[in-house]
Structure formats: structure tokens, C-alpha cells
Amino acid sequence: MQKFEVLSEMHKGYAVAVIRGKNKEDAVEISKNAFKGGIRSLEVTFTTPGAEEAIRELSQLGESQMIVGAGTVLDAATARIAILNGARYIVSPHFDKEISLMCNRYAVPYLPGCGSVTEIMEALTYGSDVVKLFPGSLMGPSFIKDVKGPIPHAQLMPSGGVSIGNVDQWMKNGAFAVGMGSALTKGVTNGDYSSVERTAREFMDRIESIKAVQ
């Protein structure tokens, strides 16, 4: 039940920090501060030099509530590298059958980026339990409601276009979870990552306040 447990924890935590670091050290510091701010799911992207090393280091911290995954995974070989270094879920900007097969082999959730109903259906057919809506900024929150009309069992996570100001709309329309990227790091200056923790905390406080009235 490994896949179910990971996805259940991701849904419970709700926010996913998309980490695009300048190098391994940068990615690790962003991740640690996002986690301190309350974001439990950390998606270290492979646009980060040394991404697999960052994933390994974070996975070895021993934080039981930290869910470390890999993002911008473009092929099955990269997925395997990420998994062997401790990634507990795999995210890509597109759908790839070979990545799906690799993740199924290791019982690791695969969240492919999809931008149409046809792509979403293909991803579901090949075993993706949760699909990433990408880029979310192009589709908007209402897209989730539109998809869930004919495909109510589809679980969708927007990435791109999610902010503190509109996260309530994504939640209202039934998003499984939400990804937050560059907004987390825009305040980082001269090696000071404290702004990441503050932004993450503000984001999580907003999510919790919305949950409280739903």
C-alpha cells in the first residue's frame, strides 16, 4: 500500500513545494525552510544541478512527516535515479508511458503533467492515480470542476498559477493538492532563506483557514 500511503499524506498536507534550486545546497535549504513553514511535500526538480543528491540528503534527514519527491522528470531513466535516491513520488511536465511503467514497478506514485481531457484519460489508463494540471495558470480553477463532471474519479493537482490569493478557488473546485513554486523563493536574498519559511507558513495558514469553513 506504499502508493496509497504517500498519496494520502500528500492530500492531507495539501501543499506541494516545487523546488528549483541553483544547486544542491540551494535546493536543500529551500526545502528545509519550506518544511519548517509547514509544507510537508517537497518536489525537488531535475532542473536543479545535483537534484538526486539533494533528494538523497533530504530523504536521510529522518523527518517522518517530510515527503520528498522528484519533479521535472523527463524520462524513465531519470525516474529510476530519483527513486533509488529516495524519491517517494515522481512528477513530470508531460505524460510518458515509460515513466509510468517504471514508477509502477517500484510502487511509486507518478503525477504526470496534463493539459487536456485526452491526456488526463491516457494518464489514468496507464495507472496514474493523481494527475498534475500543467500549466495550471492557463486552465484556471474551473477546469477541475469541468473535468470532474464527466470524470468524477479524476484526482487533479494544479501546478503553476496557484497563489495565496486564489488557492481557495482551486480547493473549492476539488483540487487533490496544489503546487507552489517560484512564489516561495522570490524573497530569498544573500543566502537568507527565512522568507521561504514565512511564505510557506502564510500559504499553509490560508489553506487551513479555508479547510475550517468548508
Side-chain angles (χ1 to χ4, degrees), residues 56-203:
R56 183 170 64 249
E57 182 172 331
L58 291 166
S59 298
Q60 293 174 348
L61 289 177
E63 294 282 1
S64 61
Q65 291 190 322
M66 183 182 287
I67 310 165
V68 183
T72 321
V73 174
L74 302 183
D75 50 54
T78 305
R80 185 173 185 272
I81 289 170
I83 292 167
L84 294 180
N85 279 279
R88 299 177 65 193
Y89 61 94
I90 299 295
V91 184
S92 66
H94 66 311
F95 171 72
D96 184 285
K97 296 176 185 177
E98 296 303 318
I99 296 176
S100 184
L101 291 173
M102 181 64 71
C103 290
N104 285 337
R105 182 173 297 153
Y106 287 95
V108 170
Y110 173 42
L111 291 74
C114 296
S116 71
V117 172
T118 298
E119 291 177 347
I120 290 169
M121 283 305 303
E122 185 177 24
L124 295 176
T125 299
Y126 280 89
S128 292
D129 297 291
V130 178
V131 172
K132 179 178 80 166
L133 290 185
F134 182 77
S137 56
L138 290 181
M139 290 168 278
S142 64
F143 185 77
I144 293 179
K145 185 177 180 180
D146 293 339
V147 171
K148 280 184 167 290
I151 318 171
H153 59 279
Q155 298 296 329
L156 308 172
M157 181 188 81
S159 186
V162 179
S163 66
I164 292 172
N166 69 14
V167 68
D168 61 322
Q169 294 301 309
W170 291 106
M171 296 176 72
K172 178 182 177 182
N173 282 283
F176 172 84
V178 293
M180 188 179 194
S182 58
L184 279 173
T185 55
K186 62 183 180 181
V188 175
T189 55
N190 300 320
D192 181 4
Y193 294 88
S194 58
S195 63
V196 176
E197 181 180 352
R198 290 194 300 272
T199 302
R201 176 57 59 196
E202 185 180 357
F203 193 51

